[in-house]
Every structure is written in structure tokens, then in C-alpha cells.
Amino acid sequence: MKYSTYQSIFPMNLENIQETRKEGRVRFVQIITNTFLLKLLILVIVAWIAGAGVLTVFAAPSVSKEEVTKLTVQPGDTLWQIAVNHKPERMDTRVYIEGIVRINGLEDRGVQAGQVLKLPHF
């Protein structure tokens, strides 16, 4: 019998086979690492954009100290009623309330009759 084993049919160096397998593993690890890094980068970008959008939506415009009107709270008034009556036409009432809270340094959102509030101008 001339050929008794597989290796005798295809004479290859055993070291070459092992080296080829190692190179294949290294390439596989590189591909997996590159894919993971790409996915991570995309996730970070999406989170950054979403976070910036949320901050933009909830950020109230800053108010300068010179642009205010003073108002004395009447019995039965609420911040919501005051904001609805004095806010610019197209402004969200909640944003105007935040402006009132900021410039007056209110810790809670309740107001009392006789209290003087500064109203912002936007």
C-alpha cells in the first residue's frame, strides 16, 4: 500500500497548519472586535443625540433681570392662572411657570395672596 495515511497523500508541514489556524483565529477576533467597537460607537452617538434632544426640550430660556414685571398675587390665584394670563401667546404654560419659579427663587410652587412675583418677559 503506497498511501497509508491522509498526511502521506498531502504532505504538509504540521507547523504551517497550526500557523494558518492561528492566523484565522486572529482575523476572527479582529473582525469581532471591530464589529463590537462599531456597535458601541453607534450606541454612544444615538445616546448623545437623544440626550441633547431631551435637554433642549426641557431647558427653559434664560431670563435677564431687567426684563421683569412685578405682580401682586390675589386671593385664589395659582401659578398656572398667572402664567396663562401673562405668558406670550405661543409659549407653553409650563415653560412660563418655570421662568416664574426661577426668577423668584420659589422652592415650592404654591403662592400666597399678597406675595409679589416677578414675571419674566420672553
Side-chain angles (χ1 to χ4, degrees):
M1 204 170 174
K2 187 174 181 183
Y3 300 109
S4 62
T5 65
Y6 177 81
Q7 287 183 346
S8 63
I9 297 172
F10 298 103
M12 288 186 74
N13 189 349
L14 185 59
E15 293 175 5
N16 288 342
I17 293 172
Q18 290 174 346
E19 191 174 315
T20 304
R21 286 182 182 167
K22 286 181 185 176
E23 290 174 2
R25 287 184 196 134
V26 169
R27 286 184 193 146
F28 178 74
V29 169
Q30 287 174 343
I31 291 171
I32 295 298
T33 303
N34 290 343
T35 304
F36 174 76
L37 290 175
L38 180 63
K39 288 179 182 178
L40 183 63
L41 178 64
I42 291 171
L43 180 65
V44 167
I45 291 171
V46 168
W48 184 27
I49 291 171
V54 169
L55 289 177
T56 302
V57 168
F58 289 109
S62 61
V63 179
S64 71
K65 294 180 181 178
E66 298 149 355
E67 299 181 35
V68 293
T69 302
K70 292 185 179 183
L71 169 84
T72 304
V73 178
Q74 301 300 315
D77 281 350
T78 63
L79 274 179
W80 186 267
Q81 292 169 335
I82 293 169
V84 168
N85 292 332
H86 297 287
K87 71 177 180 69
E89 186 176 323
R90 294 189 175 174
M91 179 178 266
D92 187 342
T93 305
R94 294 168 292 191
V95 173
Y96 195 75
I97 289 173
E98 284 301 317
I100 294 172
V101 169
R102 275 191 188 174
I103 65 171
N104 289 288
L106 301 177
E107 292 181 10
D108 60 355
R109 300 193 179 233
V111 290
Q112 297 177 358
Q115 184 177 3
V116 178
L117 293 177
K118 299 174 193 172
L119 300 178
H121 292 277
F122 291 98

